[in-house]
Amino acid sequence: MFKARNYEFFRDKAAFGWNFLFPFLIIAGFGIIFGGGGYSGFKVGVFPAGTESLSRADLKLPLKFADTEHLEFIGFPTLEQGLERLKHHKIDFLVRQGSPTGQYWVLESSPRGYIVERLYQAGLIPEGTFVGEKIAVEGDSIRYIDWLFPGILAMNMMFSALWGVGYIIVRYRKNGVLKRLKATPLTAFEYMTAQALSRIFLLLFTLAIVWAGSDLLFSFRVAGSYLDLFVVFFLGAMSLTSIGLLLAARGTSEEFASGALNFIAWPMMFLSEVWFSLEGAPDWVKTLSQFLPLTHLLQAARKIMNDGATLVDVSGQCLAMLATALACLVLGAVLFSWNE
Amino acid sequence: MDPILEVRDLVKRYKTVNAVNGISFSIPRGICFGLLGPNGAGKTTALEVIEDIIPPTSGEVLYDGAPKSPSFREEVGIQFQHTSLLHFMTVRETLVTFQKLYHKTESIDFLIDICRLRDIQGQMNNKISGGQAQRMLLALALVNKPKLLFLDEPSTGLDPQARRYLWDIILEIREKGKTIVLTTHSMDEAEYLCDDIAIMDHGRIIARGSPAELIRAHCSGGTISLPRANVRMNPAGLPFPYREVNGWLHITVDRVNTGIEKLLAMHVDLNDMKVHSPNLEDVFLRLTGRSLRE
């Protein structure tokens, strides 16, 4: 059964390609957006200006403001054109260059506008005024892509585990494959174990290929041990696959299975810090996220990759993933039906 | 010799339907036993209960003289009416995959030869014709050297040539000493393959015996069919039972010779006459008043 499922994965060329291409495209896309020079934090409209593209040296704006990093200046010929863009949140701030009074426009409801406004006001403070004591932090900084990378890998792992096991088993039950297997001496536990092992192998295989390809492009930093990282991803794959098995324990409706899988997958993706941190989120959201194995996988992986943590440091997360896997496997085996 | 399979008062009830309604029979070793009946008669349900695929509501199934044990699945081969298989595998790989699920197995080359799969063994299992697929499913059912083989409507959907090809394989398997239980709604199939037949209708067995015994017991004689226009008199005056269907009179006689003599004596025109020996279809018709294909 293990071998048969692997045949299916490797011979289904469309699904096989997509399993590798999807995470790679997301990582590459974010790498280009956040890693290249084309991205700026805030967009500042400037008028009157003859061209859209402006050189900082030619700006008739307070020097400190014009030199601020992470600001992109976009020229407009008239106030009306600039205001139209501002109202539609296409720019964060609008300023009249050469204005003796430093005239500017900002949307009261825009948090980004508020930040640029404060930057602009700081730019108006004369040179030499006390602005605080700066202490630069030395050492390797963690790029956003380094933080995001494990999230994308884990998210891909989650979708592949849930759909590759959950959806497929329901489909097999619906079209009678499981009924045919029931007529053999194969037990439900043996079948589920074969499915789980095959999926875990395929998840880790995919992970290794995507990792190697992405690392060639972005040189990800791994402060901790690769072996520890492997163990964490193995446990993550096991726990996510077990959830897929539990969801597929019964039922013959692919539509229902798809809905149930989405119901699990989407909250898990947003509450497990794949894309953004939950710092500052309400406590109940943080508590809820602790019940999701993806949260523990990501916390452990990021600690190992970014902070050089060891398995001992992430033992809590490992235990949580192991407990999820065992609970779901046992429950799934008890509830499993070949044809209902 | 003890029967290989014994079914006692088997009942399978769904919410509002009694699919199997208290059937009992036993099957001697080494024969081909047929459950014959129209669609919806309860044949497949009965077979799946016997195969242990679905649980019975009540009743008992004895295999080798005892209730079924876990070894039952090791010793029987099953071919379902509709089966999907694991995708992206060749015919040979599919056989090997199923072979690995059993302890005692047949050699793959033997199965490929007996089921005439040599030419298609490298093809994907979902890219073969209906007849080839049925032969592959039969090979899967034989993969564990079963003593007892269940075939659920094995030739449904096949063209006449593919059917005959499959029947010859089934006969060859029977000659190797295996017991075969098959369901069918085809009287041709039942007459060609089965040594012993139970006719099912509405979840019950309504007749049992060999094809010849059933015909002899329920439909002796024959049927003489004539265009209605050939009989100038009122057919009610004929000394035989008859049915009138689509402009033809179907006259049932105990002996064909005597029947023809009497019809000639009554000046009935025998041009375009057809004489029909009774078959299982007639048995079913006689027992239920309707055709197997209705």
Side-chain angles (χ1 to χ4, degrees), chain A residues 111-143:
Chain A
R112 292 171 65 85
Y114 172 78
I115 291 168
V116 181
E117 181 184 19
R118 299 303 294 245
L119 285 171
Y120 182 68
Q121 288 168 348
L124 296 172
I125 298 171
E127 284 290 343
T129 308
F130 177 74
V131 290
E133 183 187 3
K134 175 181 177 180
I135 300 167
V137 178
E138 300 291 335
D140 293 339
S141 60
I142 298 168
R143 298 169 299 170

PDB file of all heavy atoms in Angstrom, chain A residues 111-143:
ATOM      1  N   PRO A 111      -3.556  54.616   9.005  1.00  0.00           N
ATOM      2  CA  PRO A 111      -2.421  54.456   9.923  1.00  0.00           C
ATOM      3  C   PRO A 111      -1.090  54.706   9.226  1.00  0.00           C
ATOM      4  O   PRO A 111      -0.164  55.283   9.810  1.00  0.00           O
ATOM      5  CB  PRO A 111      -2.526  52.991  10.368  1.00  0.00           C
ATOM      6  CG  PRO A 111      -3.890  52.536  10.014  1.00  0.00           C
ATOM      7  CD  PRO A 111      -4.319  53.358   8.871  1.00  0.00           C
ATOM      8  N   ARG A 112      -0.992  54.308   7.976  1.00  0.00           N
ATOM      9  CA  ARG A 112       0.263  54.530   7.245  1.00  0.00           C
ATOM     10  C   ARG A 112       0.481  56.012   7.019  1.00  0.00           C
ATOM     11  O   ARG A 112       1.589  56.528   7.128  1.00  0.00           O
ATOM     12  CB  ARG A 112       0.211  53.780   5.908  1.00  0.00           C
ATOM     13  CG  ARG A 112       0.216  52.264   6.070  1.00  0.00           C
ATOM     14  CD  ARG A 112      -0.049  51.574   4.756  1.00  0.00           C
ATOM     15  NE  ARG A 112       1.015  51.806   3.795  1.00  0.00           N
ATOM     16  CZ  ARG A 112       2.137  51.084   3.729  1.00  0.00           C
ATOM     17  NH1 ARG A 112       2.308  50.076   4.568  1.00  0.00           N
ATOM     18  NH2 ARG A 112       3.066  51.361   2.844  1.00  0.00           N
ATOM     19  N   GLY A 113      -0.604  56.731   6.727  1.00  0.00           N
ATOM     20  CA  GLY A 113      -0.506  58.182   6.547  1.00  0.00           C
ATOM     21  C   GLY A 113      -0.036  58.849   7.824  1.00  0.00           C
ATOM     22  O   GLY A 113       0.789  59.784   7.805  1.00  0.00           O
ATOM     23  N   TYR A 114      -0.542  58.364   8.949  1.00  0.00           N
ATOM     24  CA  TYR A 114      -0.175  58.937  10.244  1.00  0.00           C
ATOM     25  C   TYR A 114       1.334  58.802  10.482  1.00  0.00           C
ATOM     26  O   TYR A 114       2.005  59.744  10.928  1.00  0.00           O
ATOM     27  CB  TYR A 114      -0.964  58.216  11.349  1.00  0.00           C
ATOM     28  CG  TYR A 114      -0.540  58.570  12.742  1.00  0.00           C
ATOM     29  CD1 TYR A 114      -0.949  59.767  13.340  1.00  0.00           C
ATOM     30  CD2 TYR A 114       0.290  57.713  13.473  1.00  0.00           C
ATOM     31  CE1 TYR A 114      -0.542  60.098  14.623  1.00  0.00           C
ATOM     32  CE2 TYR A 114       0.695  58.037  14.745  1.00  0.00           C
ATOM     33  CZ  TYR A 114       0.282  59.233  15.331  1.00  0.00           C
ATOM     34  OH  TYR A 114       0.702  59.551  16.608  1.00  0.00           O
ATOM     35  N   ILE A 115       1.877  57.635  10.127  1.00  0.00           N
ATOM     36  CA  ILE A 115       3.316  57.393  10.356  1.00  0.00           C
ATOM     37  C   ILE A 115       4.142  58.320   9.469  1.00  0.00           C
ATOM     38  O   ILE A 115       5.110  58.954   9.916  1.00  0.00           O
ATOM     39  CB  ILE A 115       3.660  55.905  10.077  1.00  0.00           C
ATOM     40  CG1 ILE A 115       3.011  55.040  11.155  1.00  0.00           C
ATOM     41  CG2 ILE A 115       5.166  55.692  10.052  1.00  0.00           C
ATOM     42  CD1 ILE A 115       3.016  53.562  10.853  1.00  0.00           C
ATOM     43  N   VAL A 116       3.750  58.473   8.202  1.00  0.00           N
ATOM     44  CA  VAL A 116       4.510  59.349   7.294  1.00  0.00           C
ATOM     45  C   VAL A 116       4.403  60.804   7.768  1.00  0.00           C
ATOM     46  O   VAL A 116       5.359  61.578   7.699  1.00  0.00           O
ATOM     47  CB  VAL A 116       4.022  59.194   5.835  1.00  0.00           C
ATOM     48  CG1 VAL A 116       4.844  60.081   4.910  1.00  0.00           C
ATOM     49  CG2 VAL A 116       4.107  57.747   5.383  1.00  0.00           C
ATOM     50  N   GLU A 117       3.224  61.146   8.267  1.00  0.00           N
ATOM     51  CA  GLU A 117       3.039  62.509   8.793  1.00  0.00           C
ATOM     52  C   GLU A 117       4.048  62.797   9.903  1.00  0.00           C
ATOM     53  O   GLU A 117       4.676  63.845   9.947  1.00  0.00           O
ATOM     54  CB  GLU A 117       1.604  62.665   9.305  1.00  0.00           C
ATOM     55  CG  GLU A 117       1.316  64.051   9.858  1.00  0.00           C
ATOM     56  CD  GLU A 117      -0.088  64.162  10.459  1.00  0.00           C
ATOM     57  OE1 GLU A 117      -0.682  63.102  10.775  1.00  0.00           O
ATOM     58  OE2 GLU A 117      -0.574  65.291  10.617  1.00  0.00           O
ATOM     59  N   ARG A 118       4.201  61.795  10.815  1.00  0.00           N
ATOM     60  CA  ARG A 118       5.149  61.988  11.921  1.00  0.00           C
ATOM     61  C   ARG A 118       6.578  62.080  11.395  1.00  0.00           C
ATOM     62  O   ARG A 118       7.390  62.856  11.908  1.00  0.00           O
ATOM     63  CB  ARG A 118       5.041  60.827  12.920  1.00  0.00           C
ATOM     64  CG  ARG A 118       3.670  60.675  13.574  1.00  0.00           C
ATOM     65  CD  ARG A 118       3.234  61.925  14.300  1.00  0.00           C
ATOM     66  NE  ARG A 118       4.079  62.211  15.448  1.00  0.00           N
ATOM     67  CZ  ARG A 118       3.674  62.196  16.721  1.00  0.00           C
ATOM     68  NH1 ARG A 118       2.426  61.918  16.981  1.00  0.00           N
ATOM     69  NH2 ARG A 118       4.505  62.452  17.705  1.00  0.00           N
ATOM     70  N   LEU A 119       6.868  61.322  10.361  1.00  0.00           N
ATOM     71  CA  LEU A 119       8.194  61.386   9.762  1.00  0.00           C
ATOM     72  C   LEU A 119       8.429  62.770   9.151  1.00  0.00           C
ATOM     73  O   LEU A 119       9.509  63.357   9.265  1.00  0.00           O
ATOM     74  CB  LEU A 119       8.350  60.321   8.659  1.00  0.00           C
ATOM     75  CG  LEU A 119       8.545  58.870   9.111  1.00  0.00           C
ATOM     76  CD1 LEU A 119       8.459  57.932   7.908  1.00  0.00           C
ATOM     77  CD2 LEU A 119       9.906  58.714   9.787  1.00  0.00           C
ATOM     78  N   TYR A 120       7.407  63.282   8.481  1.00  0.00           N
ATOM     79  CA  TYR A 120       7.501  64.593   7.837  1.00  0.00           C
ATOM     80  C   TYR A 120       7.714  65.685   8.886  1.00  0.00           C
ATOM     81  O   TYR A 120       8.572  66.563   8.730  1.00  0.00           O
ATOM     82  CB  TYR A 120       6.226  64.861   7.035  1.00  0.00           C
ATOM     83  CG  TYR A 120       6.226  66.165   6.276  1.00  0.00           C
ATOM     84  CD1 TYR A 120       7.096  66.364   5.190  1.00  0.00           C
ATOM     85  CD2 TYR A 120       5.373  67.209   6.628  1.00  0.00           C
ATOM     86  CE1 TYR A 120       7.105  67.550   4.488  1.00  0.00           C
ATOM     87  CE2 TYR A 120       5.369  68.401   5.928  1.00  0.00           C
ATOM     88  CZ  TYR A 120       6.239  68.578   4.860  1.00  0.00           C
ATOM     89  OH  TYR A 120       6.244  69.763   4.177  1.00  0.00           O
ATOM     90  N   GLN A 121       6.945  65.577   9.982  1.00  0.00           N
ATOM     91  CA  GLN A 121       7.072  66.570  11.052  1.00  0.00           C
ATOM     92  C   GLN A 121       8.459  66.491  11.679  1.00  0.00           C
ATOM     93  O   GLN A 121       9.069  67.525  11.988  1.00  0.00           O
ATOM     94  CB  GLN A 121       5.990  66.342  12.116  1.00  0.00           C
ATOM     95  CG  GLN A 121       4.600  66.748  11.627  1.00  0.00           C
ATOM     96  CD  GLN A 121       3.490  66.270  12.545  1.00  0.00           C
ATOM     97  OE1 GLN A 121       3.714  65.456  13.429  1.00  0.00           O
ATOM     98  NE2 GLN A 121       2.277  66.769  12.319  1.00  0.00           N
ATOM     99  N   ALA A 122       9.009  65.271  11.840  1.00  0.00           N
ATOM    100  CA  ALA A 122      10.363  65.121  12.383  1.00  0.00           C
ATOM    101  C   ALA A 122      11.386  65.742  11.440  1.00  0.00           C
ATOM    102  O   ALA A 122      12.407  66.290  11.866  1.00  0.00           O
ATOM    103  CB  ALA A 122      10.671  63.639  12.602  1.00  0.00           C
ATOM    104  N   GLY A 123      11.107  65.659  10.133  1.00  0.00           N
ATOM    105  CA  GLY A 123      12.014  66.239   9.138  1.00  0.00           C
ATOM    106  C   GLY A 123      12.068  67.753   9.213  1.00  0.00           C
ATOM    107  O   GLY A 123      13.018  68.374   8.721  1.00  0.00           O
ATOM    108  N   LEU A 124      11.060  68.349   9.820  1.00  0.00           N
ATOM    109  CA  LEU A 124      11.016  69.815   9.941  1.00  0.00           C
ATOM    110  C   LEU A 124      11.798  70.322  11.151  1.00  0.00           C
ATOM    111  O   LEU A 124      12.048  71.513  11.284  1.00  0.00           O
ATOM    112  CB  LEU A 124       9.554  70.279  10.042  1.00  0.00           C
ATOM    113  CG  LEU A 124       8.678  70.005   8.796  1.00  0.00           C
ATOM    114  CD1 LEU A 124       7.220  70.322   9.095  1.00  0.00           C
ATOM    115  CD2 LEU A 124       9.155  70.817   7.610  1.00  0.00           C
ATOM    116  N   ILE A 125      12.209  69.401  12.080  1.00  0.00           N
ATOM    117  CA  ILE A 125      12.967  69.808  13.274  1.00  0.00           C
ATOM    118  C   ILE A 125      14.385  70.206  12.835  1.00  0.00           C
ATOM    119  O   ILE A 125      15.023  69.462  12.074  1.00  0.00           O
ATOM    120  CB  ILE A 125      13.035  68.645  14.293  1.00  0.00           C
ATOM    121  CG1 ILE A 125      11.622  68.283  14.769  1.00  0.00           C
ATOM    122  CG2 ILE A 125      13.927  68.999  15.472  1.00  0.00           C
ATOM    123  CD1 ILE A 125      11.567  67.009  15.605  1.00  0.00           C
ATOM    124  N   PRO A 126      14.854  71.353  13.226  1.00  0.00           N
ATOM    125  CA  PRO A 126      16.183  71.809  12.768  1.00  0.00           C
ATOM    126  C   PRO A 126      17.283  70.842  13.181  1.00  0.00           C
ATOM    127  O   PRO A 126      17.176  70.137  14.179  1.00  0.00           O
ATOM    128  CB  PRO A 126      16.352  73.153  13.488  1.00  0.00           C
ATOM    129  CG  PRO A 126      14.994  73.548  13.910  1.00  0.00           C
ATOM    130  CD  PRO A 126      14.205  72.301  14.104  1.00  0.00           C
ATOM    131  N   GLU A 127      18.381  70.773  12.387  1.00  0.00           N
ATOM    132  CA  GLU A 127      19.559  69.939  12.665  1.00  0.00           C
ATOM    133  C   GLU A 127      20.132  70.302  14.032  1.00  0.00           C
ATOM    134  O   GLU A 127      20.121  71.474  14.420  1.00  0.00           O
ATOM    135  CB  GLU A 127      20.640  70.169  11.599  1.00  0.00           C
ATOM    136  CG  GLU A 127      20.359  69.499  10.274  1.00  0.00           C
ATOM    137  CD  GLU A 127      20.461  67.988  10.334  1.00  0.00           C
ATOM    138  OE1 GLU A 127      21.037  67.457  11.291  1.00  0.00           O
ATOM    139  OE2 GLU A 127      19.907  67.337   9.419  1.00  0.00           O
ATOM    140  N   GLY A 128      20.661  69.345  14.792  1.00  0.00           N
ATOM    141  CA  GLY A 128      21.310  69.615  16.083  1.00  0.00           C
ATOM    142  C   GLY A 128      20.361  69.525  17.252  1.00  0.00           C
ATOM    143  O   GLY A 128      20.800  69.502  18.399  1.00  0.00           O
ATOM    144  N   THR A 129      19.046  69.467  16.962  1.00  0.00           N
ATOM    145  CA  THR A 129      18.084  69.333  18.052  1.00  0.00           C
ATOM    146  C   THR A 129      18.204  67.930  18.641  1.00  0.00           C
ATOM    147  O   THR A 129      18.433  66.960  17.934  1.00  0.00           O
ATOM    148  CB  THR A 129      16.659  69.539  17.511  1.00  0.00           C
ATOM    149  OG1 THR A 129      16.634  70.753  16.788  1.00  0.00           O
ATOM    150  CG2 THR A 129      15.639  69.577  18.640  1.00  0.00           C
ATOM    151  N   PHE A 130      18.074  67.783  19.964  1.00  0.00           N
ATOM    152  CA  PHE A 130      18.203  66.490  20.634  1.00  0.00           C
ATOM    153  C   PHE A 130      17.133  65.515  20.123  1.00  0.00           C
ATOM    154  O   PHE A 130      15.960  65.839  20.105  1.00  0.00           O
ATOM    155  CB  PHE A 130      18.037  66.681  22.148  1.00  0.00           C
ATOM    156  CG  PHE A 130      18.085  65.394  22.908  1.00  0.00           C
ATOM    157  CD1 PHE A 130      19.302  64.733  23.101  1.00  0.00           C
ATOM    158  CD2 PHE A 130      16.912  64.812  23.404  1.00  0.00           C
ATOM    159  CE1 PHE A 130      19.328  63.545  23.805  1.00  0.00           C
ATOM    160  CE2 PHE A 130      16.959  63.632  24.101  1.00  0.00           C
ATOM    161  CZ  PHE A 130      18.168  62.978  24.307  1.00  0.00           C
ATOM    162  N   VAL A 131      17.574  64.370  19.647  1.00  0.00           N
ATOM    163  CA  VAL A 131      16.614  63.389  19.112  1.00  0.00           C
ATOM    164  C   VAL A 131      16.756  62.016  19.766  1.00  0.00           C
ATOM    165  O   VAL A 131      16.275  61.026  19.262  1.00  0.00           O
ATOM    166  CB  VAL A 131      16.761  63.241  17.583  1.00  0.00           C
ATOM    167  CG1 VAL A 131      16.282  64.479  16.868  1.00  0.00           C
ATOM    168  CG2 VAL A 131      18.192  62.896  17.208  1.00  0.00           C
ATOM    169  N   GLY A 132      17.444  61.923  20.881  1.00  0.00           N
ATOM    170  CA  GLY A 132      17.603  60.619  21.543  1.00  0.00           C
ATOM    171  C   GLY A 132      18.962  60.011  21.267  1.00  0.00           C
ATOM    172  O   GLY A 132      19.711  60.482  20.409  1.00  0.00           O
ATOM    173  N   GLU A 133      19.304  58.950  22.006  1.00  0.00           N
ATOM    174  CA  GLU A 133      20.610  58.305  21.889  1.00  0.00           C
ATOM    175  C   GLU A 133      20.463  57.001  21.100  1.00  0.00           C
ATOM    176  O   GLU A 133      19.701  56.114  21.485  1.00  0.00           O
ATOM    177  CB  GLU A 133      21.149  57.993  23.281  1.00  0.00           C
ATOM    178  CG  GLU A 133      22.538  57.389  23.266  1.00  0.00           C
ATOM    179  CD  GLU A 133      22.966  56.939  24.666  1.00  0.00           C
ATOM    180  OE1 GLU A 133      22.144  57.048  25.605  1.00  0.00           O
ATOM    181  OE2 GLU A 133      24.094  56.475  24.799  1.00  0.00           O
ATOM    182  N   LYS A 134      21.149  56.890  19.993  1.00  0.00           N
ATOM    183  CA  LYS A 134      21.025  55.703  19.145  1.00  0.00           C
ATOM    184  C   LYS A 134      22.069  54.656  19.518  1.00  0.00           C
ATOM    185  O   LYS A 134      23.246  54.962  19.632  1.00  0.00           O
ATOM    186  CB  LYS A 134      21.204  56.101  17.674  1.00  0.00           C
ATOM    187  CG  LYS A 134      21.203  54.923  16.726  1.00  0.00           C
ATOM    188  CD  LYS A 134      21.399  55.381  15.289  1.00  0.00           C
ATOM    189  CE  LYS A 134      21.466  54.188  14.344  1.00  0.00           C
ATOM    190  NZ  LYS A 134      21.657  54.602  12.955  1.00  0.00           N
ATOM    191  N   ILE A 135      21.627  53.407  19.724  1.00  0.00           N
ATOM    192  CA  ILE A 135      22.562  52.295  19.953  1.00  0.00           C
ATOM    193  C   ILE A 135      22.277  51.250  18.881  1.00  0.00           C
ATOM    194  O   ILE A 135      21.214  50.604  18.883  1.00  0.00           O
ATOM    195  CB  ILE A 135      22.383  51.694  21.360  1.00  0.00           C
ATOM    196  CG1 ILE A 135      22.632  52.771  22.413  1.00  0.00           C
ATOM    197  CG2 ILE A 135      23.299  50.489  21.555  1.00  0.00           C
ATOM    198  CD1 ILE A 135      22.190  52.390  23.808  1.00  0.00           C
ATOM    199  N   ALA A 136      23.159  51.085  17.931  1.00  0.00           N
ATOM    200  CA  ALA A 136      22.938  50.144  16.813  1.00  0.00           C
ATOM    201  C   ALA A 136      23.121  48.715  17.295  1.00  0.00           C
ATOM    202  O   ALA A 136      24.005  48.434  18.101  1.00  0.00           O
ATOM    203  CB  ALA A 136      23.907  50.446  15.688  1.00  0.00           C
ATOM    204  N   VAL A 137      22.262  47.816  16.832  1.00  0.00           N
ATOM    205  CA  VAL A 137      22.363  46.392  17.169  1.00  0.00           C
ATOM    206  C   VAL A 137      23.255  45.719  16.137  1.00  0.00           C
ATOM    207  O   VAL A 137      23.006  45.811  14.930  1.00  0.00           O
ATOM    208  CB  VAL A 137      20.969  45.745  17.192  1.00  0.00           C
ATOM    209  CG1 VAL A 137      21.073  44.253  17.482  1.00  0.00           C
ATOM    210  CG2 VAL A 137      20.105  46.424  18.241  1.00  0.00           C
ATOM    211  N   GLU A 138      24.322  45.070  16.615  1.00  0.00           N
ATOM    212  CA  GLU A 138      25.276  44.404  15.718  1.00  0.00           C
ATOM    213  C   GLU A 138      24.824  42.975  15.434  1.00  0.00           C
ATOM    214  O   GLU A 138      23.939  42.433  16.089  1.00  0.00           O
ATOM    215  CB  GLU A 138      26.671  44.372  16.383  1.00  0.00           C
ATOM    216  CG  GLU A 138      27.246  45.743  16.713  1.00  0.00           C
ATOM    217  CD  GLU A 138      27.626  46.535  15.479  1.00  0.00           C
ATOM    218  OE1 GLU A 138      27.898  45.899  14.429  1.00  0.00           O
ATOM    219  OE2 GLU A 138      27.603  47.786  15.540  1.00  0.00           O
ATOM    220  N   GLY A 139      25.476  42.318  14.489  1.00  0.00           N
ATOM    221  CA  GLY A 139      25.228  40.896  14.217  1.00  0.00           C
ATOM    222  C   GLY A 139      24.297  40.692  13.026  1.00  0.00           C
ATOM    223  O   GLY A 139      23.794  41.657  12.446  1.00  0.00           O
ATOM    224  N   ASP A 140      24.088  39.377  12.694  1.00  0.00           N
ATOM    225  CA  ASP A 140      23.245  39.046  11.538  1.00  0.00           C
ATOM    226  C   ASP A 140      21.794  39.381  11.848  1.00  0.00           C
ATOM    227  O   ASP A 140      21.273  39.006  12.886  1.00  0.00           O
ATOM    228  CB  ASP A 140      23.332  37.535  11.237  1.00  0.00           C
ATOM    229  CG  ASP A 140      24.722  37.164  10.769  1.00  0.00           C
ATOM    230  OD1 ASP A 140      25.436  38.077  10.301  1.00  0.00           O
ATOM    231  OD2 ASP A 140      25.082  35.983  10.898  1.00  0.00           O
ATOM    232  N   SER A 141      21.180  40.070  10.958  1.00  0.00           N
ATOM    233  CA  SER A 141      19.765  40.350  11.155  1.00  0.00           C
ATOM    234  C   SER A 141      18.949  39.239  10.487  1.00  0.00           C
ATOM    235  O   SER A 141      19.425  38.573   9.582  1.00  0.00           O
ATOM    236  CB  SER A 141      19.404  41.696  10.530  1.00  0.00           C
ATOM    237  OG  SER A 141      19.674  41.646   9.156  1.00  0.00           O
ATOM    238  N   ILE A 142      17.714  39.054  10.971  1.00  0.00           N
ATOM    239  CA  ILE A 142      16.844  38.041  10.383  1.00  0.00           C
ATOM    240  C   ILE A 142      15.980  38.725   9.339  1.00  0.00           C
ATOM    241  O   ILE A 142      15.200  39.628   9.657  1.00  0.00           O
ATOM    242  CB  ILE A 142      15.968  37.392  11.471  1.00  0.00           C
ATOM    243  CG1 ILE A 142      16.855  36.704  12.489  1.00  0.00           C
ATOM    244  CG2 ILE A 142      14.975  36.422  10.864  1.00  0.00           C
ATOM    245  CD1 ILE A 142      16.127  36.291  13.752  1.00  0.00           C
ATOM    246  N   ARG A 143      16.151  38.317   8.090  1.00  0.00           N
ATOM    247  CA  ARG A 143      15.350  38.920   7.029  1.00  0.00           C
ATOM    248  C   ARG A 143      13.911  38.392   7.124  1.00  0.00           C
ATOM    249  O   ARG A 143      13.672  37.315   7.672  1.00  0.00           O
ATOM    250  CB  ARG A 143      15.924  38.547   5.652  1.00  0.00           C
ATOM    251  CG  ARG A 143      17.316  39.043   5.397  1.00  0.00           C
ATOM    252  CD  ARG A 143      17.876  38.388   4.141  1.00  0.00           C
ATOM    253  NE  ARG A 143      17.951  36.936   4.277  1.00  0.00           N
ATOM    254  CZ  ARG A 143      18.218  36.092   3.281  1.00  0.00           C
ATOM    255  NH1 ARG A 143      18.429  36.552   2.071  1.00  0.00           N
ATOM    256  NH2 ARG A 143      18.276  34.797   3.489  1.00  0.00           N
TER     257      ARG A 143
END
